[in-house]
Amino acid sequence: MPLTGKQRRHLRALGHHLEPVVIVGQSGVTEGVIAAVEQALHDHELIKVKINDGPETRQEASARIAEGTGADQAQLLGRTALFFKKRKEDSKFEKF
């Protein structure tokens, strides 16, 4: 189920102070990047990903990450994307 505008706004506020935990390099979105993002989402639920110059635009890279991990993109601001994926158990985000 996609996020509502109100949920996105709340997640953006929570993610404002976060530092990027995954950096997409010049190779673009690879299987290794997808695996790293999946692990980070499992650990934190809400993460930032920095997208550097590569073979894809930042919009394409962000869309591939969201599709590959099953996460929702809460924000794409400049080269930094904010992703959210709620855990099935022990989630900090019960109202999502």
Side-chain angles (χ1 to χ4, degrees), residues 41 45 84-88 91 93-96:
L41 283 166
E45 294 181 286
F84 172 73
K85 185 174 182 182
K86 183 178 175 187
R87 275 186 242 142
K88 296 192 187 327
S91 177
F93 299 91
E94 291 303 323
K95 57 184 174 181
F96 285 89

Side-chain angles (χ1 to χ4, degrees), residues 2-13 73-75:
L3 295 172
T4 64
K6 192 171 187 177
Q7 289 171 327
R8 284 183 198 279
R9 196 167 38 251
H10 181 67
L11 290 172
R12 286 195 310 259
Q73 178 184 319
Q75 183 179 32

Side-chain angles (χ1 to χ4, degrees), residues 22 29-38:
V22 177
V29 179
T30 62
E31 289 183 24
V33 169
I34 297 285
V37 170
E38 281 181 339

